[in-house]
mmCIF file of all heavy atoms in Angstrom:
data_model
loop_
_atom_site.group_PDB
_atom_site.id
_atom_site.type_symbol
_atom_site.label_atom_id
_atom_site.label_comp_id
_atom_site.label_asym_id
_atom_site.label_seq_id
_atom_site.Cartn_x
_atom_site.Cartn_y
_atom_site.Cartn_z
ATOM 1 N N SER A 188 29.916 -1.946 -24.541
ATOM 2 C CA SER A 188 30.290 -2.432 -23.214
ATOM 3 C C SER A 188 31.619 -2.035 -22.814
ATOM 4 O O SER A 188 31.869 -1.702 -21.622
ATOM 5 C CB SER A 188 30.188 -3.942 -23.223
ATOM 6 O OG SER A 188 28.850 -4.368 -23.247
ATOM 7 N N ILE A 189 32.519 -2.020 -23.788
ATOM 8 C CA ILE A 189 33.996 -1.701 -23.475
ATOM 9 C C ILE A 189 33.987 -0.305 -22.908
ATOM 10 O O ILE A 189 34.834 0.095 -22.035
ATOM 11 C CB ILE A 189 34.866 -1.826 -24.749
ATOM 12 C CG1 ILE A 189 35.101 -3.256 -25.073
ATOM 13 C CG2 ILE A 189 36.130 -1.064 -24.606
ATOM 14 C CD1 ILE A 189 35.897 -3.522 -26.299
ATOM 15 N N TRP A 190 33.140 0.563 -23.319
ATOM 16 C CA TRP A 190 33.041 1.911 -22.833
ATOM 17 C C TRP A 190 32.295 1.981 -21.473
ATOM 18 O O TRP A 190 32.655 2.687 -20.588
ATOM 19 C CB TRP A 190 32.308 2.796 -23.830
ATOM 20 C CG TRP A 190 32.318 4.193 -23.468
ATOM 21 C CD1 TRP A 190 33.384 5.075 -23.545
ATOM 22 C CD2 TRP A 190 31.287 4.952 -22.876
ATOM 23 N NE1 TRP A 190 33.003 6.321 -22.982
ATOM 24 C CE2 TRP A 190 31.739 6.285 -22.605
ATOM 25 C CE3 TRP A 190 29.927 4.626 -22.493
ATOM 26 C CZ2 TRP A 190 30.914 7.255 -22.111
ATOM 27 C CZ3 TRP A 190 29.110 5.649 -21.979
ATOM 28 C CH2 TRP A 190 29.598 6.891 -21.731
ATOM 29 N N LEU A 191 31.262 1.121 -21.365
ATOM 30 C CA LEU A 191 30.392 1.217 -20.210
ATOM 31 C C LEU A 191 30.910 0.504 -18.984
ATOM 32 O O LEU A 191 30.840 1.027 -17.878
ATOM 33 C CB LEU A 191 29.027 0.583 -20.626
ATOM 34 C CG LEU A 191 27.854 0.808 -19.631
ATOM 35 C CD1 LEU A 191 27.667 2.244 -19.310
ATOM 36 C CD2 LEU A 191 26.589 0.191 -20.183
ATOM 37 N N VAL A 192 31.534 -0.705 -19.174
ATOM 38 C CA VAL A 192 31.980 -1.471 -18.084
ATOM 39 C C VAL A 192 32.888 -0.714 -17.116
ATOM 40 O O VAL A 192 32.651 -0.756 -15.896
ATOM 41 C CB VAL A 192 32.635 -2.831 -18.567
ATOM 42 C CG1 VAL A 192 33.368 -3.487 -17.436
ATOM 43 C CG2 VAL A 192 31.541 -3.765 -19.093
ATOM 44 N N PRO A 193 33.927 -0.053 -17.647
ATOM 45 C CA PRO A 193 34.847 0.683 -16.726
ATOM 46 C C PRO A 193 34.112 1.663 -15.788
ATOM 47 O O PRO A 193 34.420 1.714 -14.597
ATOM 48 C CB PRO A 193 35.788 1.463 -17.666
ATOM 49 C CG PRO A 193 35.658 0.725 -18.983
ATOM 50 C CD PRO A 193 34.382 0.204 -19.086
ATOM 51 N N VAL A 194 33.146 2.378 -16.340
ATOM 52 C CA VAL A 194 32.428 3.377 -15.504
ATOM 53 C C VAL A 194 31.689 2.581 -14.333
ATOM 54 O O VAL A 194 31.757 2.993 -13.209
ATOM 55 C CB VAL A 194 31.392 4.129 -16.309
ATOM 56 C CG1 VAL A 194 30.682 5.173 -15.560
ATOM 57 C CG2 VAL A 194 32.110 4.756 -17.567
ATOM 58 N N MET A 195 31.052 1.526 -14.751
ATOM 59 C CA MET A 195 30.307 0.749 -13.711
ATOM 60 C C MET A 195 31.203 0.071 -12.720
ATOM 61 O O MET A 195 30.958 0.077 -11.518
ATOM 62 C CB MET A 195 29.406 -0.353 -14.338
ATOM 63 C CG MET A 195 28.469 0.229 -15.485
ATOM 64 S SD MET A 195 27.128 1.181 -14.767
ATOM 65 C CE MET A 195 26.314 -0.140 -13.838
ATOM 66 N N VAL A 196 32.371 -0.479 -13.198
ATOM 67 C CA VAL A 196 33.221 -1.145 -12.356
ATOM 68 C C VAL A 196 33.848 -0.185 -11.289
ATOM 69 O O VAL A 196 33.929 -0.499 -10.145
ATOM 70 C CB VAL A 196 34.420 -1.821 -13.126
ATOM 71 C CG1 VAL A 196 35.559 -2.219 -12.235
ATOM 72 C CG2 VAL A 196 33.915 -3.014 -13.902
ATOM 73 N N GLN A 197 34.206 0.980 -11.752
ATOM 74 C CA GLN A 197 34.782 2.018 -10.909
ATOM 75 C C GLN A 197 33.809 2.273 -9.730
ATOM 76 O O GLN A 197 34.223 2.387 -8.575
ATOM 77 C CB GLN A 197 35.061 3.277 -11.724
ATOM 78 C CG GLN A 197 36.177 4.088 -11.170
ATOM 79 C CD GLN A 197 36.292 5.352 -12.005
ATOM 80 O OE1 GLN A 197 35.605 5.559 -12.960
ATOM 81 N NE2 GLN A 197 37.345 6.164 -11.643
ATOM 82 N N SER A 198 32.533 2.478 -10.099
ATOM 83 C CA SER A 198 31.531 2.787 -9.105
ATOM 84 C C SER A 198 31.365 1.656 -8.143
ATOM 85 O O SER A 198 31.354 1.808 -6.861
ATOM 86 C CB SER A 198 30.274 3.132 -9.731
ATOM 87 O OG SER A 198 29.120 2.883 -8.893
ATOM 88 N N LEU A 199 31.211 0.420 -8.658
ATOM 89 C CA LEU A 199 30.901 -0.674 -7.769
ATOM 90 C C LEU A 199 32.059 -1.015 -6.904
ATOM 91 O O LEU A 199 31.975 -1.339 -5.746
ATOM 92 C CB LEU A 199 30.456 -1.960 -8.601
ATOM 93 C CG LEU A 199 30.055 -3.106 -7.815
ATOM 94 C CD1 LEU A 199 28.889 -2.744 -6.845
ATOM 95 C CD2 LEU A 199 29.635 -4.254 -8.713
ATOM 96 N N ARG A 200 33.337 -0.920 -7.465
ATOM 97 C CA ARG A 200 34.501 -1.242 -6.711
ATOM 98 C C ARG A 200 34.589 -0.204 -5.563
ATOM 99 O O ARG A 200 34.831 -0.642 -4.406
ATOM 100 C CB ARG A 200 35.747 -1.174 -7.612
ATOM 101 C CG ARG A 200 37.024 -1.303 -6.842
ATOM 102 C CD ARG A 200 38.240 -1.035 -7.747
ATOM 103 N NE ARG A 200 39.503 -1.017 -7.019
ATOM 104 C CZ ARG A 200 39.946 0.143 -6.458
ATOM 105 N NH1 ARG A 200 39.200 1.233 -6.516
ATOM 106 N NH2 ARG A 200 41.020 0.095 -5.748
ATOM 107 N N ALA A 201 34.436 1.035 -5.853
ATOM 108 C CA ALA A 201 34.507 2.072 -4.757
ATOM 109 C C ALA A 201 33.442 1.803 -3.687
ATOM 110 O O ALA A 201 33.724 1.861 -2.499
ATOM 111 C CB ALA A 201 34.330 3.395 -5.379
ATOM 112 N N ALA A 202 32.259 1.418 -4.143
ATOM 113 C CA ALA A 202 31.151 1.186 -3.154
ATOM 114 C C ALA A 202 31.517 -0.007 -2.327
ATOM 115 O O ALA A 202 31.293 -0.050 -1.099
ATOM 116 C CB ALA A 202 29.840 0.965 -3.893
ATOM 117 N N LEU A 203 32.006 -1.120 -2.948
ATOM 118 C CA LEU A 203 32.358 -2.331 -2.200
ATOM 119 C C LEU A 203 33.436 -2.035 -1.124
ATOM 120 O O LEU A 203 33.313 -2.459 -0.037
ATOM 121 C CB LEU A 203 32.876 -3.353 -3.086
ATOM 122 C CG LEU A 203 31.787 -4.145 -4.003
ATOM 123 C CD1 LEU A 203 32.494 -5.037 -4.988
ATOM 124 C CD2 LEU A 203 30.872 -4.873 -3.112
ATOM 125 N N LEU A 204 34.413 -1.283 -1.584
ATOM 126 C CA LEU A 204 35.514 -0.972 -0.588
ATOM 127 C C LEU A 204 34.983 -0.067 0.505
ATOM 128 O O LEU A 204 35.276 -0.265 1.667
ATOM 129 C CB LEU A 204 36.659 -0.246 -1.314
ATOM 130 C CG LEU A 204 37.422 -1.108 -2.261
ATOM 131 C CD1 LEU A 204 38.515 -0.303 -2.949
ATOM 132 C CD2 LEU A 204 38.050 -2.272 -1.527
ATOM 133 N N GLU A 205 34.061 0.890 0.155
ATOM 134 C CA GLU A 205 33.550 1.739 1.196
ATOM 135 C C GLU A 205 32.696 0.933 2.239
ATOM 136 O O GLU A 205 32.828 1.070 3.401
ATOM 137 C CB GLU A 205 32.720 2.842 0.550
ATOM 138 C CG GLU A 205 32.281 3.912 1.485
ATOM 139 C CD GLU A 205 31.105 4.545 1.072
ATOM 140 O OE1 GLU A 205 30.907 4.868 -0.108
ATOM 141 O OE2 GLU A 205 30.145 4.777 1.950
ATOM 142 N N LYS A 206 31.841 0.102 1.660
ATOM 143 C CA LYS A 206 30.965 -0.676 2.513
ATOM 144 C C LYS A 206 31.730 -1.688 3.384
ATOM 145 O O LYS A 206 31.276 -2.063 4.448
ATOM 146 C CB LYS A 206 29.860 -1.352 1.739
ATOM 147 C CG LYS A 206 28.915 -0.374 0.976
ATOM 148 C CD LYS A 206 28.088 0.445 1.988
ATOM 149 C CE LYS A 206 27.312 1.464 1.198
ATOM 150 N NZ LYS A 206 26.839 2.542 2.008
ATOM 151 N N SER A 207 32.820 -2.260 2.838
ATOM 152 C CA SER A 207 33.508 -3.224 3.612
ATOM 153 C C SER A 207 34.191 -2.622 4.843
ATOM 154 O O SER A 207 34.663 -3.315 5.705
ATOM 155 C CB SER A 207 34.486 -4.015 2.737
ATOM 156 O OG SER A 207 35.454 -3.100 2.247
ATOM 157 N N GLU A 208 34.284 -1.308 4.885
ATOM 158 C CA GLU A 208 34.743 -0.624 6.091
ATOM 159 C C GLU A 208 33.590 -0.078 6.938
ATOM 160 O O GLU A 208 33.834 0.482 7.969
ATOM 161 C CB GLU A 208 35.609 0.624 5.689
ATOM 162 C CG GLU A 208 36.584 0.331 4.645
ATOM 163 C CD GLU A 208 38.014 0.324 5.234
ATOM 164 O OE1 GLU A 208 38.437 1.357 5.719
ATOM 165 O OE2 GLU A 208 38.671 -0.717 5.201
ATOM 166 N N ALA A 209 32.387 -0.409 6.543
ATOM 167 C CA ALA A 209 31.232 0.228 7.214
ATOM 168 C C ALA A 209 31.111 -0.389 8.605
ATOM 169 O O ALA A 209 31.491 -1.498 8.891
ATOM 170 C CB ALA A 209 29.961 -0.028 6.421
#
Side-chain angles (χ1 to χ4, degrees):
Chain A
S188 288
I189 285 178
W190 184 79
L191 189 57
V192 167
V194 184
M195 305 289 297
V196 165
Q197 207 181 1
S198 154
L199 184 57
R200 175 185 170 275
L203 284 172
L204 289 179
E205 189 206 318
K206 297 295 174 197
S207 59
E208 310 253 297

